[in-house]
Amino acid sequence: MNAAGLKKGLKATGRRVTRTRQAVLGLLERTPQPLSATEIFEQLQKENVAIDLVTVYRTVHVLKELGLVAQIELHHEGQARYEIKEGREHHHHIQCQMCGAIVDLLLCPLKKITKLIESQTKFVVDDHTLEFTGLCPRCQ
Amino acid sequence: MNAAGLKKGLKATGRRVTRTRQAVLGLLERTPQPLSATEIFEQLQKENVAIDLVTVYRTVHVLKELGLVAQIELHHEGQARYEIKEGREHHHHIQCQMCGAIVDLLLCPLKKITKLIESQTKFVVDDHTLEFTGLCPRCQ
DNA sequence: TCATCTATTGCAAGTGTATTGCAATTATCA
DNA sequence: TGATAATTGCAATACACTTGCAATAGATGA
Ligand SMILES: [Mn+2]
Ligand SMILES: [Mn+2]
Ligand SMILES: [Zn+2]
Ligand SMILES: [Zn+2]
C-alpha cells in the first residue's frame, strides 16, 4: 500500500493516520475497478473491518482532497465511484449497460479539443467528463 | 410549439395529449438552456400552469421516450437537466463552476474515437457523455 | 352532447445516495 | 500516561427521484 503517500498527505494537512483510512485506501489499491461507497462499505464488512458507511463517505472525501483517489460519475448510475490515481494516467471508462462491467479506456482524446473549446467559448476549461456506455463482449 | 410531433408521438404509443405535456414541451422549446425538473416546475408555477413536481418527472420521462427531449447530466450537479432535441444537433456542454452558466458546444469530436474504442475494447458503443467545467468569461 | 373507459394527475409516502450534528472514541504528542 | 483535538458511529436530515392509489380528465363512440 502507498502508506507513505497517505501518511505524508495526512500529516501535511493536520490529519491523523487511522485504521479506516488505511483500510479504504488499501481496498481501492487492490481492486482493479472503481468502487462505490456502498461497495467499499460492504467489502470491508466482509473483511471484518469495522467501519460505518458515513465514515466511508468522509474517508473518500479526504482521499480525494489528498489527490490519492479519483471520483468517477458514470452515466445514469446515480452514485459516485472511486479509484486509485497513484500510478495511473488520466483516463475514462466504458460501462456495459447489461452487466455493469466497467473497463478503463487508456486514452484521453481531449487535450487538443480543450484548446478549441476555450477559444470558441472564452471559458477557461478546468475539467471534463467523458464516459461511454455500450455492450461488453459477453453481453452483445 | 412542435404540437404535431408531440401529438403524433403520443397517439402512436397509446398516450393522451394533455395540458401538462404541452406546457412542459412548450417551456423547453422557448428556453435556450437545459432545465432541471425543479426549474420546470417553478417556471410553470410562475406562469400559473397548475402542475405537480411528480408530473414534471413523469412528463420529461415520456418526452424522452418520444425522442423529443434529451436528458443531460452535468458534472457534480446531482440533478438531471432536459432540453429540446428538435432542430438541434447532438452536442455537449460547458458549465461555469462559479455561476452555473451552461453553454452549448457545437461540436462532437467523438465519432472517430468511438470506432477506436470499439476495436480496442470489443464493446459495442451505444452512447457517451462529454461535459466540461470551467469558468465563464464573466467569472474568470 | 353525453356516457363510458382508462390514461393521467396530485398527493402522500417511500427510495437511495450523500451530508450533518453531536457525543463517544482514539490518534498524537508532550 | 494524560491532555488535546481529530475522528468515528449513530441518528437525523437533505435532496433528487420514484411509486401507490384514489380522483380527475382525455378519448371514443353511441
Ligand atoms: Mn479507471
Ligand atoms: Mn444544449
Ligand atoms: Zn480526459
Ligand atoms: Zn458526442
Side-chain angles (χ1 to χ4, degrees), chain B residues 15-16 18 20-21 55 58:
Chain B
R15 283 188 263 237
R16 293 176 181 175
T18 65
T20 61
R21 284 169 178 167
T55 304
R58 292 196 266 231

Side-chain angles (χ1 to χ4, degrees), chain A residues 83 91 93 104:
Chain A
E83 71 177 2
H91 64 277
H93 302 88
D104 284 355

Side-chain angles (χ1 to χ4, degrees), chain B residues 42-86:
Chain B
E42 287 170 351
Q43 183 56 36
L44 290 179
Q45 296 246 301
K46 270 186 204 152
E47 298 175 10
N48 295 312
V49 176
I51 189 171
D52 192 86
L53 180 58
V54 175
T55 304
V56 173
Y57 279 109
R58 292 196 266 231
T59 301
V60 291
H61 181 84
V62 168
L63 296 178
K64 248 198 310 174
E65 280 196 351
L66 299 183
L68 297 170
V69 158
Q71 179 173 338
I72 293 161
E73 318 247 341
L74 294 168
H75 211 181
H76 297 147
E77 264 223 325
Q79 62 180 4
R81 291 181 173 278
Y82 304 89
E83 71 176 3
I84 285 292
K85 279 174 95 169
E86 174 78 19

Side-chain angles (χ1 to χ4, degrees), chain A residues 29-89:
Chain A
E29 279 182 335
R30 68 189 133 82
T31 308
Q33 73 275 27
L35 297 177
S36 69
T38 305
E39 287 170 348
I40 293 169
F41 172 69
E42 287 170 352
Q43 182 57 35
L44 290 180
Q45 294 246 303
K46 271 187 202 153
E47 299 175 9
N48 296 310
V49 177
I51 189 171
D52 193 86
L53 180 59
V54 175
T55 305
V56 173
Y57 279 108
R58 291 197 266 232
T59 301
V60 292
H61 181 83
V62 168
L63 296 177
K64 248 197 310 177
E65 280 196 352
L66 299 183
L68 297 171
V69 158
Q71 179 173 336
I72 293 162
E73 319 247 342
L74 294 168
H75 211 181
H76 296 146
E77 264 224 324
Q79 62 181 6
R81 292 180 174 276
Y82 304 89
E83 71 177 2
I84 285 292
K85 278 175 97 168
E86 174 79 18
R88 304 186 194 179
E89 296 251 318

Side-chain angles (χ1 to χ4, degrees), chain B residues 23-24 49 57-58 88 93 100-101 114 117 135:
Chain B
V24 172
V49 176
Y57 279 109
R58 292 196 266 231
R88 304 187 193 179
H93 302 87
T114 295
I117 287 167
L135 292 174

Side-chain angles (χ1 to χ4, degrees), chain B residues 32-34 70 72 82-84 88-94 102-106 131:
Chain B
Q33 74 276 25
I72 293 161
Y82 304 89
E83 71 176 3
I84 285 292
R88 304 187 193 179
E89 294 253 318
H90 166 88
H91 64 276
H92 301 279
H93 302 87
I94 184 165
I102 299 165
V103 173
D104 283 353
L105 301 175
L106 298 175
E131 308 297 340

